Amino acid sequence: MAAAQVDALTRIMPPTHGADEEVDWDAAEKQLSARLPADYRAFMAVYGGGSIGGQLSILLPLPVDSVWGGGTIAGETPNLRHHWEEEGGVAGTELEADAVLAWGVGCSNPDLLGWLMSGSDPDQWPVVVYRRHVSWGEPSLALFECGMAEFLRRLLLGEFDKCPLSDVSLWGRIEPFVHWREQDRRFLAGLDPITGEPDPYADMFQSWSRP
């Protein structure tokens, strides 16, 4: 099932710049104190960690040595838990903040995406989204009864009733996925990490990244 969901995603977003992350899953799950969903594991084997269109970063299960990308589940989960606690969770859900685990973060508009660990089977965990900007009276947190790979496919095809994020950059738009290693390579070559085009500001950014 998980492989089929990721296969469906590859048909609309080819993993041209993806790479098998070759994750030590025992180490990752020990660090996170959680068993991770099969579709996320399959995603890491096909795409790895990286960015979709420079608008949404898919977080890594373990830290990597990266100059551009490389955000991790452990690094963003405290932020998602903070917002869950601040908002009082999702209406009708009694679980506390430690029941959410991040897997994605927006780039230009930092929405947070994760799982609500609502049971013992991670493949049944719904997606939770913290939307940075919402209309007056609308809750910032929302649940979606699907897994990560299915959420991404439906987002890119515009198949939800409305955009599930507060940033509509990927709503109904197929953008390329770029692995963090390819982003690093482009950045160090003076190219835009997302588009691969020459970047006139590359020297400035590279000077900031140096110790």
Side-chain angles (χ1 to χ4, degrees):
M1 182 66 173
Q5 291 170 340
V6 173
D7 284 346
L9 187 60
T10 65
R11 287 195 286 274
I12 64 167
M13 185 178 70
T16 307
H17 298 297
D20 185 350
E21 212 60 59
E22 299 183 357
V23 177
D24 181 343
W25 289 108
D26 288 340
E29 294 178 344
K30 181 178 180 180
Q31 181 193 80
L32 297 168
S33 300
R35 189 162 56 94
L36 296 170
D39 65 335
Y40 173 79
R41 294 167 65 121
F43 187 98
M44 284 293 127
V46 173
Y47 291 97
S51 171
I52 301 175
Q55 300 299 324
L56 178 61
S57 291
I58 307 302
L59 301 172
L60 289 156
L62 289 169
V64 295
D65 184 13
S66 172
V67 297
W68 184 260
T72 63
I73 291 175
E76 290 294 341
T77 290
N79 297 325
L80 182 56
R81 290 179 176 177
H82 165 76
H83 292 300
W84 182 275
E85 192 169 76
E86 188 175 61
E87 298 291 324
V90 173
T93 302
E94 303 299 325
L95 295 172
E96 300 294 333
D98 61 0
V100 294
L101 198 65
W103 58 258
V105 60
C107 299
S108 58
N109 184 21
D111 291 346
L112 289 164
L113 301 89
W115 299 283
L116 178 63
M117 298 184 287
S118 54
S120 59
D121 183 358
D123 295 335
Q124 299 301 314
W125 293 345
V127 167
V128 58
V129 175
Y130 170 73
R131 297 171 292 194
R132 188 72 56 172
H133 303 293
V134 292
S135 302
W136 178 258
E138 188 177 2
S140 297
L141 288 162
L143 287 182
F144 298 89
E145 294 295 334
C146 61
M148 167 210 168
E150 177 67 7
F151 179 92
L152 292 174
R153 189 191 66 80
R154 293 174 66 183
L155 170 70
L156 298 176
L157 291 177
E159 289 186 353
F160 292 104
D161 292 338
K162 61 179 181 178
C163 183
L165 306 179
S166 58
D167 186 338
V168 298
S169 301
L170 294 177
W171 176 236
R173 294 181 58 189
I174 310 300
E175 295 288 343
F177 176 88
V178 184
H179 190 273
W180 64 268
R181 289 192 186 90
E182 176 63 13
Q183 292 181 69
D184 278 5
R185 185 196 68 78
R186 293 176 180 180
F187 175 70
L188 294 173
L191 305 174
D192 183 292
I194 303 304
T195 66
E197 297 295 324
D199 185 352
Y201 302 106
D203 289 343
M204 177 179 68
F205 287 128
Q206 286 181 19
S207 67
W208 288 352
S209 70
R210 296 186 189 109

